Amino acid sequence: MLELSGADRNHLREALTSGFRSYLSLKRWADGLSVQLNLIASSEAIRSAADDLIEHFEERGEVLTLILALHKERPKNTAVQSLMSLLEGRLPGGGTVVRREPSRELALGGEDPRSAYLVIAVFWETRSEKTVRVQPKLCYRDTETREVLQETLVEDDCSIALKDFPTFLTDLVNFTVSRLSNLFPDPLHPWQLTISLFVPVDLLCLPLAKWCGQDGELLSTRPIVLGCSDRFDPCDPGRSAALHNQLKRGWQRFQTKVPDQHGLTLQNLDWLHSDRASQKDFDWEDYSGFQCYGNWLKPDDQYLENWKTLINSGVPLALWMCEGQPERETIAATFALLTNYTRVEFLNYIPRIRKNCNHCVGVFYEDPNYVPEIPKTKEKTFFSWPGA
């Protein structure tokens, strides 16, 4: 919960009175927040009313909701921007929600030319012995042609016991970092590595710590997102084709709402919230993103049917929080931070969010540009692991 100092409170009051110059304009905005300012304000003097509004939210432990709503309503107001700068490092994610100008490449709709994706496809090998087959590859774009290039990282499939996967992943990331140093040797323009971990739907029920280790170092240093390898399972081609087609339709809905253009953030998505999902009187085809505010996507076997529903829907982006019982205000603020960026930019903010959040933030994100299709390659340097 965000605690305000006296100086913080003064800056918040200045931001409110700068953003809303009259009592009536402040009241109309407060009405939209389901707050009847006329019932809580001791005076119609704008500064006094602003103080009473702040106190109202502080008493309920929801001052962060007030700040984020103010920033959303008046993002270009200099007093609001000053407030967000003052709070930098204390908001969920360790930063502000003040948007930064993207590079020219991002403004034109693509990734940074130095973006790279470690795509790791995991398929069941022996359920009884809890072993999986793993196929990792490295994806990046040619800096001139923008063509997606792919390299396999192991000569043959790896056979991994689930309990050994965190060690395997750490070693694989270190190997990939070394490989990227050769691909992008310029230290002034380093590469950006995102880890896309595709696993069977029933393994989506595992907590992220089971994949990345209890210390969580990878989670707080690298963007890690999950996907579902059932869409690409060579052992079940019929079902895989159907699931992949659903993803293509979901991605089309996603791109309609958030095409690759500067300024079009993930807030523009048609978001389905778990409260609505629990009612079951809607069509998944109307949505392109999912936000879980409760246990609907909790990593636990008892929620497996919900995970299957999500995968079958083709929705390519889902956010959830687990490992604890975060307050709804905390969840909403965290999701607001992540969705305030484009679909490319938000990846770089995932580890910042995880590093500064007391609860584990899960991100399910499937970009069809980077999927577990393993190509043939002449590359001779492979990651070495027992069973590879």
Side-chain angles (χ1 to χ4, degrees):
M1 183 183 302
L2 180 65
E3 297 288 343
L4 296 182
S5 67
D8 296 335
R9 199 172 291 104
N10 289 337
H11 277 81
L12 178 53
R13 183 206 308 125
E14 292 301 321
L16 285 167
T17 56
S18 175
F20 306 95
R21 299 298 180 90
S22 70
Y23 172 82
L24 287 179
S25 64
L26 181 64
K27 181 180 181 301
R28 282 194 294 270
W29 177 67
D31 288 343
L33 302 178
S34 300
V35 176
Q36 293 180 284
L37 190 61
N38 60 305
L39 298 182
I40 65 173
S42 56
S43 166
E44 291 190 3
I46 183 64
R47 293 177 67 84
S48 176
D51 280 332
D52 291 333
L53 185 62
I54 294 169
E55 183 177 348
H56 172 81
F57 277 90
E58 281 189 305
E59 287 176 348
R60 286 155 180 75
E62 298 176 349
V63 70
L64 185 56
T65 300
L66 174 66
I67 292 170
L68 291 174
L70 175 60
H71 178 264
K72 182 177 181 180
E73 185 70 19
R74 296 289 191 267
K76 296 183 179 180
N77 182 280
T78 55
V80 175
Q81 292 178 350
S82 176
L83 171 68
M84 303 309 289
S85 296
L86 175 71
L87 298 176
E88 186 165 7
R90 295 162 54 195
L91 298 176
T96 73
V97 292
V98 178
R99 292 188 48 76
R100 296 167 173 79
E101 278 299 312
S103 67
R104 176 171 174 78
E105 291 87 355
L106 291 181
L108 294 176
E111 297 100 338
D112 187 295
R114 292 158 295 276
S115 293
Y117 293 77
L118 173 57
V119 179
I120 307 169
V122 177
F123 304 101
W124 273 116
E125 184 172 67
T126 308
R127 278 183 167 84
S128 61
E129 297 179 5
K130 296 186 177 180
T131 59
V132 292
R133 289 183 296 110
V134 183
Q135 299 174 333
K137 69 175 181 177
L138 179 60
C139 299
Y140 54 92
R141 288 187 182 272
D142 185 285
T143 54
E144 294 183 359
T145 67
R146 307 294 290 137
E147 177 188 3
V148 175
L149 304 178
Q150 302 178 351
E151 295 183 9
T152 55
L153 297 177
V154 297
E155 193 167 10
D156 298 301
D157 292 359
C158 293
S159 177
I160 306 293
L162 280 177
K163 65 181 179 61
D164 295 329
F165 195 89
T167 302
F168 167 85
L169 180 60
T170 299
D171 290 346
L172 179 61
V173 170
N174 290 337
F175 175 84
T176 306
V177 167
S178 175
R179 181 78 188 100
L180 285 169
S181 296
N182 295 325
L183 291 170
F184 302 99
D186 185 354
L188 297 179
H189 299 89
W191 38 264
Q192 301 290 332
L193 178 64
T194 295
I195 301 169
S196 297
L197 181 61
F198 287 80
V199 304
V201 64
D202 50 327
L203 292 182
L204 286 170
C205 293
L206 289 181
L208 287 170
K210 292 289 187 180
W211 297 105
C212 303
Q214 294 295 331
D215 61 7
E217 182 179 357
L218 274 178
L219 286 170
S220 61
T221 56
R222 303 284 181 189
I224 298 180
V225 298
L226 292 177
C228 184
S229 61
D230 290 5
R231 303 191 200 279
F232 315 99
D233 190 349
C235 296
D236 193 357
R239 181 168 181 267
S240 294
L243 290 177
H244 188 56
N245 287 335
Q246 279 293 88
L247 174 61
K248 288 172 64 176
R249 288 192 286 270
W251 187 251
Q252 289 170 354
R253 299 194 301 270
F254 184 103
Q255 292 270 276
T256 298
K257 289 295 181 178
V258 188
D260 291 333
Q261 297 177 19
H262 168 43
L264 293 181
T265 72
L266 294 173
Q267 292 179 353
N268 294 341
L269 279 183
D270 287 321
W271 287 102
L272 172 64
H273 293 214
S274 51
D275 295 344
R276 174 75 168 152
S278 299
Q279 298 173 13
K280 300 182 179 180
D281 57 346
F282 64 94
D283 188 348
W284 281 91
E285 294 285 333
D286 294 334
Y287 300 94
S288 46
F290 183 82
Q291 293 184 8
C292 182
Y293 283 82
N295 290 335
W296 204 90
L297 284 183
K298 187 175 180 180
D300 189 296
D301 286 342
Q302 71 183 80
Y303 299 98
L304 177 57
E305 292 305 313
N306 291 343
W307 284 103
K308 289 180 178 178
T309 298
L310 174 68
I311 300 307
N312 290 333
S313 74
V315 168
L317 175 61
L319 307 174
W320 71 93
M321 296 181 72
C322 59
E323 297 183 14
Q325 297 296 325
E327 297 177 357
R328 193 178 184 90
E329 178 198 22
T330 300
I331 298 174
T334 303
F335 289 174
L337 283 168
L338 274 179
T339 59
N340 196 53
Y341 300 97
T342 70
R343 66 115 182 157
V344 174
E345 294 170 319
F346 96 105
L347 293 170
N348 293 325
Y349 289 86
I350 293 173
R352 301 187 195 182
I353 295 283
R354 287 172 171 158
K355 184 175 182 179
N356 293 277
C357 184
N358 292 327
H359 307 280
C360 192
V361 180
V363 181
F364 177 95
Y365 178 60
E366 293 186 339
D367 182 343
N369 288 318
Y370 307 104
V371 297
E373 181 182 353
I374 309 300
K376 299 296 182 180
T377 179
K378 296 181 180 179
E379 177 60 43
K380 299 299 183 183
T381 302
F382 296 107
F383 172 66
S384 178
W385 180 263

